[in-house]
Amino acid sequence: MDISQILTSYIEICGSSNNAIIRRTKIDRSSFYKILNGKRMPTQEQAERIIRAMMLPFREEKQLRDMLMRLVVGEREWEDRKQVQLILQMLSEPELPAVTSMLGELQSDSEPTSTGVTQTNQLLLRFIHEALSNEEAVLDFFVDACNDSFFNNLKALCSLQTGRNIRLRQLLQLPSGEGLPGEENQALKYFKEITYFFSMTHIDFRSHYYYERMTRPGGIGVLFPYYLISAQGVLLLNENFTSACLLQDPKFCSVYREAFEAAFARTKPVIHYLNYMEHAKVLENHTEGVSFYPVFSVSLVATKERISKYVSEPQLAEMFIQHCQILREKCPVRMFSTVEGTRRFADTGIIDELPTGFISAISIADRINVLQDYRSFLGTRLFFVDEKQMPTSQRWAITVYEGDVMYLYRPVAEINGISRVIAVRERNVIDAFSTYFNSFAEGAGLLNTEAAQQEVDRLIAELREKENRNL
């Protein structure tokens, strides 16, 4: 269906007249009819206005948005946006994988070779389970980046070991560094698969990759292209995971381990971890980008005076002053946050960007001053996300420097000794997140500036009332 057919069909479904929709969208009548007749493609903002103006039930509105946006922004970009939304939702509420029912059927003395899907899967599960149950809990592997079944099993088995630290290292092949028109974004799909691993504090997940077109031959020419390495041996797997062979001879295993280490050292990391100090140092090397903070974006208003007053540890205070200065001077052009995060700051005076105990709660009087400064950035450098339209992470902050790097900031409450900043340098992933956040606009993912300012004004008024009651 073309855009004219889609709109005409859904206007009939919603039962509204064209005049009513024009009135609600505030789109010029001439422009509206050019869009309706297929003579002009609407902008994303115009498309969102038209969708909301029809006041359709949730299911029909979702269907219309999917059909319309595929035409407005393109098939690949729209699919990437949906993948990014899924990743953000997974970061907000990590998916707890179901433990496979086959686990109880595994026999430790089963044969070292297998044929057929069921037997191979049992051997694979037993190998992973024993590796993760080992005292060191280390597993290295080379597996297809988009093998959903493998990753679901690995997640399920990792979820059984939450009381101990696990180290996973993957070497993988990604198809085509740039991607071709109409191709699925395999790198983004893979990133969605591994989100669970780096969001769990008991898992140290390292992934290195190289690019190559998928030209590997199948059939008997390549018997076992995939493998897993653990303390107990090497498990070889064929391309379709329908045949496997377990090697336990020390000489063979040593060859595989040495080859894996050499390949891992030569390839690029999909993600790597930074602590707070390391991250502060590399910020100076980046250009402008976009940033999202689910909580209060303190870097915009954290002056030297305020930090010195509320951060008790001098060395931490100095580091935080330098960090915020860098962010202000090289601050992304657009910074996104949430009303809920700002409300939480107003209610508690706690800054979630720093660990509990490093900073004391901010007084009501200073909260008012901070919010007044914060308000001045709305509509220029700071915007509130309308989370009903554009899902975002409720727990993780994200900064994207286009074409360079993306940083994900682990929630402070979950650090637990693990580095809190995750750096991603896979270009197809960075571009997808950058496009997602840059697609935000007033009326299309963002609250309009006036509504955002009213929210902050209301919080300031509530704080003044509270301050007067305390006098």
Side-chain angles (χ1 to χ4, degrees), residues 391-405:
T392 52
S393 170
Q394 296 293 326
R395 299 161 61 247
W396 292 62
I398 299 170
T399 300
V400 186
Y401 295 97
E402 190 170 349
D404 187 7
V405 66

Side-chain angles (χ1 to χ4, degrees), residues 45-80:
E45 183 179 353
Q46 288 173 329
E48 282 290 346
R49 288 187 189 182
I50 293 170
I51 292 166
R52 292 197 305 275
M54 291 189 192
M55 297 189 291
L56 294 160
F58 175 79
R59 182 179 175 182
E60 284 75 13
E61 180 178 306
K62 185 178 179 181
Q63 290 173 341
L64 174 58
R65 180 173 286 107
D66 190 65
M67 295 173 70
L68 207 54
M69 287 303 180
R70 288 180 189 278
L71 297 174
V72 173
V73 304
E75 188 86 19
R76 167 72 179 259
E77 182 175 325
W78 182 243
E79 286 299 323
D80 280 2

Side-chain angles (χ1 to χ4, degrees), residues 218-368:
I220 61 172
V222 180
L223 296 177
F224 297 110
Y226 300 126
Y227 56 85
L228 289 77
I229 305 172
S230 73
Q232 60 265 41
V234 177
L235 183 65
L236 306 180
L237 293 151
N238 73 341
E239 187 168 12
N240 300 319
F241 276 44
T242 57
S243 181
C245 178
L246 177 61
L247 302 179
Q248 293 182 302
D249 184 293
K251 293 181 180 179
F252 283 116
C253 294
S254 177
V255 170
Y256 270 90
R257 290 191 181 101
E258 290 175 7
F260 183 91
E261 293 293 346
F264 207 76
R266 292 196 305 269
T267 48
K268 303 175 183 177
V270 176
I271 62 173
H272 64 277
Y273 302 86
L274 301 170
N275 60 36
Y276 198 88
M277 291 291 289
E278 290 169 335
H279 177 248
K281 291 178 181 178
V282 300
L283 279 179
E284 294 181 341
N285 302 324
H286 301 314
T287 55
E288 295 174 338
V290 292
S291 206
F292 168 76
Y293 287 81
V295 294
F296 185 68
S297 306
V298 68
S299 57
L300 287 175
V301 292
T303 63
K304 182 176 182 179
E305 180 183 359
R306 286 169 178 161
I307 293 172
S308 300
K309 182 176 181 180
Y310 288 103
V311 180
S312 55
E313 209 282 309
Q315 186 176 1
L316 178 65
E318 184 60 34
M319 181 192 72
F320 196 43
I321 289 169
Q322 294 176 5
H323 181 73
C324 290
Q325 182 179 357
I326 292 170
L327 284 176
R328 277 196 302 274
E329 292 176 355
K330 299 181 70 66
C331 185
V333 174
R334 307 183 81 196
M335 181 174 284
F336 305 112
S337 192
T338 65
V339 173
E340 180 58 35
T342 307
R343 184 179 295 120
R344 196 186 319 168
F345 167 76
D347 289 342
T348 65
I350 300 296
I351 296 175
D352 292 340
E353 289 183 34
L354 289 176
T356 304
F358 282 179
I359 184 168
S360 54
I362 295 174
S363 68
I364 292 177
D366 282 344
R367 272 181 254 172
I368 293 172

